[in-house]
Amino acid sequence: SVFPSRLLLFGTFILPPLMVLVLFHLWYKSSSWEITSSPYFLPTKEKIQNRSTNLLIFNDTGSEIEDFIAALKTQNIIPEITLEKNITSLPDYNGAIKISLEGKV
């Protein structure tokens, strides 16, 4: 009869690709593509990985940068302020930022 042959055709050629599409959609929807700082810097509450460090900051502006520090903390990054001008000489950090007014008119 025609019904079993159509069922066999559906089960062989249409159902497997449909299942692959559904599984891919579920996997894509559940995976997170957000880039975070947690693999590199210590979060404010807990350490994620043994290789993470504080974010080293050198303030060369001569003024307060509390707003910047607060913004980092909202992103779960613990900043560590240094007085060392040559921040590249401090190898124990995954990243450093020099805040400067250099070039500002």
Side-chain angles (χ1 to χ4, degrees), residues 41-42 53-88 90 92-100:
F41 305 109
L42 289 175
T53 67
N54 291 343
L55 175 62
L56 187 63
I57 297 177
F58 173 61
N59 179 7
D60 197 24
T61 64
S63 55
E64 296 294 319
I65 56 170
E66 293 305 314
D67 290 343
F68 180 70
I69 301 297
L72 289 173
K73 289 180 179 178
T74 62
Q75 297 177 47
N76 290 332
I77 299 173
I78 297 177
E80 185 175 323
I81 310 296
T82 183
L83 300 174
E84 174 68 39
K85 289 190 179 210
N86 185 6
I87 56 178
T88 58
L90 302 171
D92 297 332
Y93 295 90
N94 289 333
I97 297 175
K98 177 183 177 183
I99 302 173
S100 172

